[in-house]
């Protein structure tokens, strides 16, 4: 893995975030709870909302979300794709159900709704190759965007997780998020769906089968 710093060295950015009126307004606009912001040590370094990528209490990468700017997300130069965000909170959680989101914003709102949600650095085309064995015994629900990248990414991830997880489910949100590119954040914030709505959709989504995995890999 790439170089890292102790999480304690990020305390200044966390304090900046708490004291920034703009960041508090952004949290409210995005529907992200203060509890989740605190759990994930969201920080502010003067440009956007920064999410530290931590493993075992050390920061290996920092993803900064900059709404209205191009690119919208920036990471440390040369950083590794396929790291789990938030790794420490996810791996220490007793919940067996994991929701895999297409990006940080989706993950943050899913966590704010009470789900044990994660995403991967580098977006929905990446798989967490180093951490596949950590999905043992987990029920995984992949909730990716309503576009080709989302469908291809969810199929690729499902095939990779199939032999490790207890079950893998590809959740289709396109019946609600009807426009191309809409995502889990839109599910909650644009279409005003609830946690219970997503739970019902998850319950209706069957686990993928060995035959389906063969099709995905062919």
């Amino acid at each position: 893995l790439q170089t890292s710093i102790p999480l304690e060295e990020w305390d200044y950015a966390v304090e900046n975030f708490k004291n920034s009126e703009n960041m508090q307004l952004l949290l409210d606009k995005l529907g992200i709870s203060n509890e989740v912001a605190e759990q994930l040590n969201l920080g502010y370094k003067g440009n956007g909302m920064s999410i530290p990528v931590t493993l075992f209490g050390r920061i290996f990468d920092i993803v900064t979300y900059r709404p209205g700017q191009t690119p919208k997300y920036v990471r440390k130069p040369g950083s590794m794709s396929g790291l789990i965000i938030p790794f420490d909170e996810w791996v220490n959680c007793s919940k067996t159900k994991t929701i895999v989101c297409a990006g940080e914003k989706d993950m943050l709102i899913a966590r704010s709704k009470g789900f044990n949600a994660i995403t991967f650095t580098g977006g929905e085309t990446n798989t967490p190759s180093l951490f596949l064995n950590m999905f043992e015994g987990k029920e995984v629900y992949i909730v990716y965007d309503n576009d080709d990248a989302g469908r291809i990414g969810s199929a690729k991830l499902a095939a990779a997780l199939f032999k490790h997880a207890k079950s893998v489910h590809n959740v289709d949100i396109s019946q609600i998020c009807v426009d191309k590119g809409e995502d889990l954040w839109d599910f909650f914030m644009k279409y005003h769906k609830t946690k219970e709505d997503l739970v019902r959709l998850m319950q209706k989504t069957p686990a993928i089968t060995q035959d389906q995995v063969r099709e995905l890999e062919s």
Side-chain angles (χ1 to χ4, degrees), residues 13-165:
V14 173
E15 284 305 308
N16 287 347
F17 186 88
K18 290 176 182 175
N19 294 326
S20 167
E21 185 179 348
N22 285 340
M23 288 299 100
Q24 297 309 307
L25 288 171
L26 181 60
L27 272 192
D28 188 54
K29 181 181 177 182
L30 294 178
I32 299 165
S33 70
N34 285 308
E35 181 186 15
V36 167
E38 195 166 320
Q39 281 174 350
L40 271 58
N41 298 289
L42 299 189
Y44 179 58
K45 299 192 297 176
N47 186 14
M49 178 176 71
S50 293
I51 308 155
V53 182
T54 59
L55 284 85
F56 307 112
R58 295 186 68 85
I59 298 175
F60 285 84
D61 197 359
I62 295 163
V63 179
T64 300
Y65 173 63
R66 312 180 308 167
Q69 298 184 55
T70 304
K72 194 180 292 184
Y73 290 94
V74 293
R75 293 165 54 204
K76 285 169 59 179
S79 55
M80 176 184 287
S81 293
L83 299 182
I84 294 173
I85 314 173
F87 177 82
D88 292 338
E89 287 73 18
W90 171 71
V91 85
N92 293 317
C93 181
S94 59
K95 294 177 182 176
T96 57
K97 289 183 174 65
T98 292
I99 291 187
V100 183
C101 302
E104 288 78 10
K105 189 172 72 162
D106 288 359
M107 175 272 292
L108 288 166
I109 195 163
R111 284 192 159 265
S112 297
K113 299 294 183 182
F115 295 100
N116 186 24
I118 60 172
T119 190
F120 310 130
T121 57
E124 54 203 332
T125 58
N126 286 283
T127 54
S129 305
L130 293 174
F131 309 100
L132 290 174
N133 63 327
M134 292 187 170
F135 286 84
E136 298 284 349
K138 296 187 183 296
E139 301 167 55
V140 182
Y141 294 81
I142 304 167
V143 190
Y144 278 4
D145 298 359
N146 178 22
D147 56 19
D148 289 342
R151 284 182 279 278
I152 293 166
S154 62
K156 178 183 172 187
L157 179 61
L161 288 176
F162 182 77
K163 56 176 109 24
H164 298 279

Side-chain angles (χ1 to χ4, degrees), residues 155-156 158-159 162 208-218:
K156 178 183 172 187
F162 182 77
I208 63 167
T209 64
Q210 182 70 65
D211 287 343
Q212 286 173 310
V213 170
R214 288 195 194 99
E215 284 180 33
L216 293 174
E217 291 178 328
S218 62

